[in-house]
Amino acid sequence: MTDLRESQAVVLRKPVGRSLFRLSRPQQWHKAMMLLAAPAAAGVIDQAVPVLRACVAAVAFIMLSIAIYAVNDVRDAPDDRRHPGKQHRPVAAYALSPAVALAWGFATAVAGLAIAAVLGVPTFLLGLGYLAAQLAYVYGLKHIAVVDVVLVALGFVLRAAAGGTAAGVPVSNWFLLVSLFGALFLVAGKRRAEQASTVSDARSRPVLAAYPAAWLDQLVTVALLGTSLSYGLWAFQYLGDDVIRQLLAVSFLPFLTGLLRYGLLVSTGRGELPEYEIFRDRVLLVAGATWAALLAMGLYA
């Protein structure tokens, strides 16, 4: 027991700043790019003020997500220590005390809400809703089958909506549906890969045992269909002005190709880390680049 305490004390002497940075998950900050989706779809990504406001909102949501990571790591530390990958998280590895982690989480939550409040009441309320939903997830809802998947997907939808309110652009229902089904598609693929992985520890995500593989496959299919149909209806019935509608319509083809390709990767057991899988597959890269080019020309040419 003495040796264990001494080893923990030694580890805790590591630089706190570095541990707080690792706790903040910088590799996940790219998710805040979702806040630029609404201004881009509305055709104002080339205007300085809306983009600046959306970027400020992205910073706010990064701060809020850091608060969630801090609380999550403190609560899950005992289980993380039994996981081959998560055992290296700062709190689980005794590189950061729970008190310091929670203080950091509180500070970033206050900072995130304060920044969101500067952008207006709607953005503040969306930020507050995001924080409340994710805290509910951490404090128990992540152990309830289906609810956990919906809450994770909801986080992406709230980010997308906040980007629109911050930039002052209208957010169409089709855009929100694309965000929702797209997020469900990624989350379902992630759960499917985690369930099939020999590295995943059931104790770190007990809810996986409640999901039959066949049901997750069905969810992937439903989410894929929902994403493609919602995007197709948005692209073919775009209500804005000064756009090349034919290019928006054609952009549906590479968009669908990317979805189908990623669905194929998920069916082979990949998808646990979507942010890496997307950039590892050449077909996905080509489809994504083609889609982005067509969309940009259709909206801004």
Side-chain angles (χ1 to χ4, degrees):
M1 179 65 70
T2 301
D3 293 340
L4 177 59
R5 289 177 179 173
E6 290 178 352
S7 63
Q8 292 177 10
V10 171
V11 176
L12 284 171
R13 293 193 189 104
K14 289 185 176 181
V16 175
R18 184 186 304 173
S19 297
L20 287 175
F21 183 72
R22 290 179 53 213
L23 176 75
S24 302
R25 309 269 219 288
Q27 71 275 15
Q28 299 293 335
W29 293 355
H30 65 276
K31 294 177 181 177
M33 293 294 292
M34 190 70 185
L35 282 98
L36 295 174
V44 299
I45 202 69
D46 55 346
Q47 299 178 22
V49 174
V51 171
L52 178 59
R53 290 179 60 87
C55 288
V56 172
V59 173
F61 272 76
I62 287 175
M63 302 299 287
L64 295 175
S65 65
I66 291 173
I68 301 301
Y69 295 143
V71 175
N72 179 79
D73 284 8
V74 170
R75 285 187 58 84
D76 288 356
D79 292 332
D80 288 346
R81 293 184 184 112
R82 298 192 293 267
H83 190 277
K86 297 178 181 179
Q87 64 179 335
H88 301 296
R89 289 176 174 175
V91 178
Y94 300 105
L96 202 63
S97 70
V100 172
L102 290 176
W104 177 242
F106 178 78
T108 53
V110 171
L113 290 176
I115 295 172
V118 173
L119 297 170
V121 174
T123 305
F124 171 77
L125 292 177
L126 288 170
L128 186 63
Y130 171 82
L131 185 64
Q134 297 308 305
L135 283 175
Y137 174 86
V138 170
Y139 276 96
L141 294 185
K142 66 180 179 180
H143 300 304
I144 302 177
V146 178
V147 175
D148 72 309
V149 173
V150 172
L151 279 178
V152 174
L154 177 63
F156 286 91
V157 177
L158 291 175
R159 286 188 185 99
T165 59
V169 298
V171 179
S172 72
N173 294 332
W174 294 123
F175 175 81
L176 292 178
L177 283 175
V178 172
S179 303
L180 175 60
F181 281 115
L184 280 175
F185 182 54
L186 293 177
V187 175
K190 182 177 176 65
R191 292 289 184 270
R192 185 71 177 87
E194 288 173 338
Q195 191 180 69
S197 175
T198 56
V199 178
S200 295
D201 189 338
R203 288 172 295 189
S204 67
R205 202 184 291 278
V207 74
L208 288 176
Y211 290 125
W215 186 87
L216 286 174
D217 289 336
Q218 291 176 357
L219 180 58
V220 170
T221 302
V222 169
L224 190 155
L225 287 172
T227 307
S228 57
L229 289 176
S230 299
Y231 180 83
L233 289 169
W234 173 83
F236 285 99
Q237 300 180 9
Y238 189 85
L239 300 179
D241 298 322
D242 300 325
V243 298
I244 304 177
R245 299 179 185 276
Q246 294 85 349
L247 289 179
L248 294 183
V250 173
S251 72
F252 177 75
L253 182 58
F255 184 84
L256 180 61
T257 301
L259 288 179
L260 293 174
R261 179 69 179 186
Y262 189 78
L264 175 62
L265 297 180
V266 168
S267 69
T268 61
R270 295 162 63 179
E272 189 169 357
L273 297 172
E275 58 270 24
Y276 296 120
E277 296 296 342
I278 290 174
F279 293 100
R280 287 173 53 189
D281 187 84
R282 291 183 180 180
V283 175
L284 269 176
L285 285 174
V286 172
T290 304
W291 166 74
L294 289 171
L295 192 64
M297 289 189 293
L299 289 172
Y300 298 97

